[in-house]
Amino acid sequence: QAAIDFASANGGGRVILTPGNYLTGTIYLKTGVTLHLEAGATLLGSLNPWDYVKDAYAGWTAMVFAIKQDNIGITGDGTIDCRGFEVGLDVVDCSDVIVRNCYIDAADDAYCFKSHSVDGVSENILVENCVGRSSANGIKFGTFTRGVFKNFKFKNMTIFDTYRSAITIATVDGASVEDVEIDGLRSIHTGNPIFIRCGSRREGKVTPCLRNVVIKNVYAEVPLDKPDAGYNYEGPVEDLPRNVCASGIQGIPGIRVENVRLENVEIIYPGRTNVNYAYRGHSPEDLAAIPELEKSYPEFSNWKELPAWGFYIRHADGVEFKNVTLKVLEEDYRPAIVADDVNGLKLDGVKIIQKDAEGKEQIITNQCKEITITE
């Protein structure tokens, strides 16, 4: 810390850790300073909880803080080993950020972007060539979402053995989220591939918006079993089983998801559903009975059972699927896609693969306008 403070006070520079183990509690990055870990250098978290600071401004405990600083960085081929399970990378109300060539194994969300302030701005964010493993989500916007998120790009990402979603893009506290592009994602053994969600859990705040999202060049496999089983820290173990949830693009009445495009996407689901768990039909009455949960925590599993095995789309405008393949390996009583209250749905080159399902209606729409389906 003394080296970081000295460098910052003298115009900035690099603090270099050469090969070896560096035992530490909380440290603070300061303006103009890059912490560089050479190959073989490990910043090692203390096992004494009293060595860590709960920052008064952030309201959290962390091993590495950067609070209201500019032009900072962590670089190199070394390792940060917190020796704990409650770790992830949280980027809160920050702009002009690059996260590159990182490997994060965490109990909490791996690559997480938040806004704690209604005046906060998070924009011009690039995350590329990164790998994540989590007992929560891989890539996540939220849960604190109060300010502005704009111009996010994710390239060449791998998410594996992750309990919740590979991608969660949510706004539930009044934030505007727009211009997000995910190009190149491999999601293996992940509980849910894509979850896009608007909510309204804070009364009296500004109305959130979620628009202009592009997700392309994705391959995802969803397991039947618990995807993070056997890790030191796992996501919750459910008392009762449920069928595997579809990916979701879900607004709420009055707050709609706008302009979402999926291109060159392949998702493989396990099937093997059991109608006795929590049956969801797809008649207008059945769809109307699905709860909005607009004030609930934004997790796909809160619905327990959805009426589709591939994608459930609700309260959205301008949703386009281009060259999307949805495959289910074994029997699933549900259709592949259910769209409810969607305006401007374009399905171009969508392939639905389910054995022994010839003649099954795989695309169900309800209260939708301007639907275009082409091979």
Side-chain angles (χ1 to χ4, degrees):
Q1 187 66 68
I4 291 171
D5 294 345
F6 178 85
S8 181
N10 287 275
R14 289 204 305 171
V15 172
I16 299 174
L17 303 186
T18 56
N21 292 331
Y22 296 80
L23 183 67
T24 186
T26 295
I27 61 173
Y28 282 80
L29 284 180
K30 300 291 182 68
T31 291
V33 176
T34 294
L35 179 62
H36 183 80
L37 283 71
E38 294 183 345
T42 299
L43 191 63
L44 199 61
S46 169
L47 296 179
N48 183 350
W50 298 107
D51 289 335
Y52 297 95
V53 173
K54 183 176 181 179
D55 184 84
Y57 178 82
W60 295 94
T61 300
M63 181 170 158
V64 181
F65 274 119
I67 308 292
K68 296 185 177 181
Q69 306 297 314
D70 298 314
N71 302 320
I72 59 172
I74 302 175
T75 62
D77 294 320
T79 300
I80 298 177
D81 184 355
C82 300
R83 294 204 289 182
F85 301 119
E86 296 293 337
V87 58
L89 173 65
D90 283 2
V91 180
V92 183
D93 293 318
C94 295
S95 295
D96 304 312
V97 176
I98 295 175
V99 182
R100 181 181 286 138
N101 302 328
C102 289
Y103 181 104
I104 293 181
D105 184 345
D108 208 346
D109 306 315
Y111 299 91
C112 190
F113 303 88
K114 300 180 181 181
S115 174
H116 288 187
S117 170
V118 294
D119 299 317
V121 177
S122 301
E123 63 179 348
N124 304 328
I125 311 292
L126 171 63
V127 184
E128 65 178 346
N129 302 330
C130 289
V131 177
R133 204 296 310 171
S134 173
S135 290
N137 296 271
I139 299 167
K140 185 176 182 182
F141 286 67
T143 293
F144 286 107
T145 45
R146 295 175 180 169
V148 173
F149 298 80
K150 189 172 183 180
N151 192 23
F152 279 68
K153 293 185 183 299
F154 299 84
K155 299 180 179 180
N156 191 26
M157 302 291 294
T158 298
I159 304 295
F160 72 99
D161 289 2
T162 289
Y163 177 74
R164 298 197 185 276
S165 298
I167 303 167
T168 291
I169 304 174
T171 173
V172 293
D173 302 318
S176 65
V177 179
E178 55 187 320
D179 301 329
V180 177
E181 180 179 283
I182 298 173
D183 183 0
L185 171 71
R186 186 171 177 83
S187 168
I188 303 297
H189 214 248
T190 299
N192 181 262
I194 299 168
F195 182 62
I196 298 174
R197 171 67 173 165
C198 287
S200 180
R201 66 180 185 180
R202 298 186 184 274
E203 296 289 349
K205 301 297 182 181
V206 295
T207 301
C209 72
L210 200 170
R211 59 190 174 214
N212 302 336
V213 175
V214 176
I215 300 174
K216 59 186 181 180
N217 301 318
V218 171
Y219 177 82
E221 295 178 1
V222 180
L224 182 65
D225 57 345
K226 192 169 184 289
D228 67 337
Y231 281 86
N232 288 334
Y233 182 91
E234 297 182 19
V237 177
E238 297 179 340
D239 294 329
L240 295 174
R242 60 174 170 80
N243 294 321
V244 170
C245 285
S247 289
I249 301 172
Q250 300 168 230
I252 60 175
I255 307 175
R256 304 174 70 84
V257 178
E258 304 174 62
N259 302 331
V260 175
R261 177 163 58 92
L262 273 64
E263 184 174 350
N264 300 330
V265 172
E266 181 177 1
I267 303 176
I268 300 175
Y269 293 92
R272 292 179 60 181
T273 56
N274 185 335
V275 296
N276 295 315
Y277 287 170
Y279 176 81
R280 288 286 187 196
H282 49 262
S283 70
E285 294 77 16
D286 290 330
L287 296 179
I290 297 173
E292 297 289 353
L293 301 181
E294 53 193 77
K295 297 188 181 300
S296 296
Y297 194 86
E299 295 288 4
F300 71 91
S301 57
N302 284 341
W303 280 264
K304 299 299 182 183
E305 183 83 357
L306 288 172
W309 60 259
F311 265 91
Y312 175 63
I313 310 168
R314 193 184 202 187
H315 307 311
D317 300 327
V319 176
E320 179 181 2
F321 286 13
K322 185 174 182 180
N323 298 329
V324 172
T325 297
L326 303 176
K327 181 178 180 179
V328 62
L329 297 177
E330 298 191 42
E331 174 60 27
D332 197 306
Y333 74 89
R334 302 169 294 182
I337 298 172
V338 169
D340 185 14
D341 184 25
V342 178
N343 299 324
L345 175 64
K346 295 179 64 176
L347 304 178
D348 181 7
V350 173
K351 296 180 181 179
I352 297 171
I353 302 172
Q354 180 177 4
K355 66 180 180 180
D356 302 324
E358 185 176 354
K360 177 181 178 181
E361 190 174 7
Q362 294 280 19
I363 301 172
I364 303 294
T365 62
N366 180 60
Q367 301 187 81
C368 294
K369 300 177 182 178
E370 300 179 14
I371 303 171
T372 304
I373 301 176
T374 55
E375 294 184 358

